[in-house]
Amino acid sequence: MTGPTHEATADLITLPGTPLADAVMDLIRPVETPSVFNHSIRSYLFARLVADRLGLAVGHDYQDDLLFASCAMHDLGVASDGPHTQRFEVEGADRAASFLIDRGVPATDADQVWQAIALHTSPGIAERRGTLCVLVREGVALDFGGPLGAGHADAVTDEQADAVHTAYPRLDMIRSLTDAIVAQAAKDPKNAPRYSIPGEFLRERETFGRTRLEHACRSSRWGN
């Protein structure tokens, strides 16, 4: 089997390049670890492939700028410069929505992004809150390689995955992101409510030294 053409690879990994997308990149790059930053961008690239698989048309079924903003900022709650006073999904959603409104994005669009980020760890809920929530949830899940229950794993071929990972290497993302979530959760009891992702990650790390997700990801499609 031959690999993707140069043109196909370029299309696959091309980011929006709009003023809003550039501003989002400038926001997240300095405050996220390289592995979390790459995970955020890969989530967008994978979400776009899911949209293609579902037959969703950009500009009609979803707005590419909002999809990029949602995926790129979905882990803003663990950024190094954050207040770290709420569970990371909500903190990231609040920061993202405020950032968008400050740049003239309509409040209704900013609220869509808020929902997509706040609910990205909530299977069974995110899928019922509209196209943007679905795409963000699936893009993030695909980047975990299976343990989050990605329903569209076949949206990404091995060749496409290789191109995405070459452009945005994984850099031990599972451990890096889990470290960041646990550190944020440990700063305030409000950040780690019981049965939430941050709450369970914190308790599993304290009890077992490793989360169940970290264990499951060892045998996932990507392995880390």
Side-chain angles (χ1 to χ4, degrees):
M1 181 180 295
T2 60
T5 65
H6 174 76
E7 291 78 9
T9 299
D11 288 343
L12 175 66
I13 64 174
T14 297
L15 303 183
T18 62
L20 179 61
D22 289 346
V24 169
M25 293 282 276
D26 290 342
L27 171 70
I28 66 172
R29 194 188 294 273
V31 298
E32 293 184 347
T33 64
S35 60
V36 173
F37 173 85
N38 284 1
H39 159 63
S40 300
I41 303 304
R42 288 195 309 269
S43 296
Y44 163 73
L45 298 175
F46 288 153
R48 218 166 44 178
L49 290 172
V50 172
D52 289 344
R53 182 182 185 274
L54 295 175
L56 300 174
V58 63
H60 180 268
D61 299 302
Y62 70 97
Q63 295 182 47
D64 194 43
D65 255 5
L66 297 186
L67 179 61
F68 180 78
S70 300
C71 290
M73 294 191 287
H74 83 270
D75 281 328
L76 191 56
V78 298
S80 60
D81 65 338
H84 301 161
T85 56
Q86 302 182 79
R87 55 184 287 182
F88 85 97
E89 307 98 315
V90 175
E91 184 164 302
D94 284 351
R95 289 192 66 182
S98 177
F99 176 85
L100 294 175
I101 289 172
D102 286 347
R103 279 150 187 81
V105 174
T108 52
D109 290 344
D111 185 62
Q112 287 187 56
V113 172
W114 189 96
Q115 291 190 59
I117 294 174
L119 296 175
H120 81 270
T121 63
S122 300
I125 299 175
E127 294 85 351
R128 295 184 178 219
R129 299 307 303 162
T131 299
L132 188 62
C133 286
V134 169
L135 292 179
V136 173
R137 167 75 187 168
E138 288 298 328
V140 172
L142 272 171
D143 198 46
F144 278 81
L148 291 188
H152 300 287
D154 55 350
V156 182
T157 68
D158 289 342
E159 291 79 12
Q160 289 171 326
D162 287 345
V164 170
H165 287 131
T166 296
Y168 297 96
R170 298 191 69 80
L171 305 177
D172 200 12
M173 181 274 290
I174 302 299
R175 181 194 56 79
S176 177
L177 178 57
T178 304
D179 285 349
I181 293 172
V182 169
Q184 197 268 6
K187 291 182 177 180
D188 190 314
K190 293 184 297 183
N191 299 357
R194 194 64 194 261
Y195 306 120
S196 68
I197 287 290
E200 293 310 291
F201 277 11
L202 177 60
R203 275 173 270 278
E204 287 170 1
R205 275 283 188 90
E206 290 176 341
T207 303
F208 307 111
R210 185 174 63 179
T211 65
R212 287 177 292 177
L213 181 64
E214 289 173 285
H215 177 74
C217 282
R218 287 190 169 188
S219 56
S220 71
R221 185 175 179 183
W222 317 130
N224 64 8

